[in-house]
Amino acid sequence: AQDAGEDDPRGGGGSGGSGGSRGGHLPASAPPTPALIDAPQREQRRHPDAVGLPAAGEMHAADPVSRGGLEGAKAAADPGPGDVSEPQLPQRAVFGKRVEAQVPVPVRVVVAAGDTAVSGTVMLPGVGVFGTGSTARVLVPLLKAEGFEVHALWGRSEEEACCLAKELSIPFHTSRSDDVLLHQDVDLVCIYIPPSMTRQIAVKALGIGKNVVCEKAATAVDSFKMVTAARYYPQLLSIMGNTLRFLPAFVAMRQLLVEGYVGEMQVCDVRVYGPSLLDQSYGWTCEELMGGGGLHTVGSAIIDLLSYLTGARANRVHGLLRTFVQQNGLIRGIRRVTSDDFCFFQMLMGGTGSSSGGVCCTVTLNFNMPGSFVHEVMVVGSTGRLVARGTELYGQRNGSKGEELLLGDSGWVGPEVNDMPLPHLRGLSSMVKALRQSFQAHEERRSWARGPVAMAPTFEDGLYVQTVVEAVKRSSCSGEWECVEIMSQEPDPNHNLCEALQRNKN
């Protein structure tokens, strides 16, 4: 059966089953989703095979095209006394050409005398997860705990995907990305895969009409392509998965900074110490060009967090990167680790770009300390300081005798995870809760409210972070301060070739 409800994602996403029959890779038992449209839309031939709605009332199906301008959340909150609800009204639907059937369709009938509608059941979007690493293993149970249904899982190999799908009770698994992206029950895609693959999946997912939550890309060029796709489909959710912004300690820290707890911000000091970030076997974490290393993996989250806390962006940076462990018992022979395990960098944020203006930030990342993990973020101002140690927040005003605990650790009640530091784990849990609140605000599975996820980093923030990362790498090579210049257009891939030809011509 062919889905008759497909629509342009730029208009806010199609029906819940958009793209369900494309590609031919989905299970044969997947039910078709009928599309309900009104007469003007049928006359415009946007859906030539779909049926019209009766003239007795205005019918709102679970699709923004047929729902019109009525917002589901408002209708649910303000039911009118003259409204009528018919949750299962039989309608004639077309499944492909000339094939009709009577099916019960969840709808709302809005009587002309009323202003609002009685809401039906709110449905959260179905989720497809890319990745089989530690983050995916934690993310899936958190999604299910908040009411999301995880319908599909992608892994680099069928064996990896099958093993994790059985462990987490996910009904569909594959090693082909299109099988997840075209799955008719998947409306939200969570991408936690190697950075070199992130851009390809994220851009394709937005083009198909899926909401996207993803990790960082490998290069600034890849990030720029993701930004372009997100701007082209503004109705779709497109956020980066930096969970530190959602950690309650940092949410409270930012609020106190806005309220002036420390006065004028002067210095930010960050220390992150922990065990090696390398995998058990040689892979992308060992390669600097593929997005491995402490700066790209952990430093990018810190760069984004400092921008969130201070409300400013870096304009100049200076850094030093080192790889102290180039080989170990599992990575040896001709293979060598090129990704950094120690990084120290400074940023001048805000101000005029001179050495005396703005906030001075110092970040130290050391991943040569097995058995321990330290995560400390301190902001010092003219009247006091705030310090986040792990998941707890402390503060001290100038003149006071000692620090005061402003926000304690309420304890982690979720699954125990050894591979993910507690600040990131708690932040991931808070982000999933925010996603649930965002999608609950609307009845249509792909519609979302901006408020609950307003603190989430956008793809534009991801581009800024990647630009800073590359500037720090350049500074480590040159030994000089480097300017942070965010690209406004995609560079010409043949730029170096053209310059070489021009020099030869001269």
Side-chain angles (χ1 to χ4, degrees), residues 248-270 304-312 349 359 361 377-388 393-397 406:
F250 290 125
V251 175
M253 177 184 277
R254 185 175 189 274
Q255 182 62 33
L256 290 171
L257 290 172
V258 172
E259 294 173 358
Y261 184 94
V262 303
E264 181 182 358
M265 285 181 283
Q266 298 171 341
V267 176
C268 296
D269 184 71
V270 181
D304 176 71
L305 176 64
L306 292 176
S307 176
Y308 168 71
L309 293 175
T310 63
M349 307 184 69
V359 183
C361 300
V377 178
M378 178 169 59
V379 180
V380 181
S382 58
T383 62
R385 70 173 184 265
L386 290 168
V387 186
L393 178 63
Y394 297 85
Q396 182 176 357
R397 298 182 187 272
L406 301 176

Side-chain angles (χ1 to χ4, degrees), residues 127 129 134-144 150 190-192 420 428 431-432 435:
V127 181
V129 176
S134 59
T135 303
R137 290 177 180 273
V138 178
L139 177 64
V140 171
L142 293 176
L143 287 168
K144 291 183 176 181
V150 181
C190 298
I191 306 172
Y192 290 89
M420 181 177 292
L428 182 62
M431 186 186 75
V432 173
L435 286 172

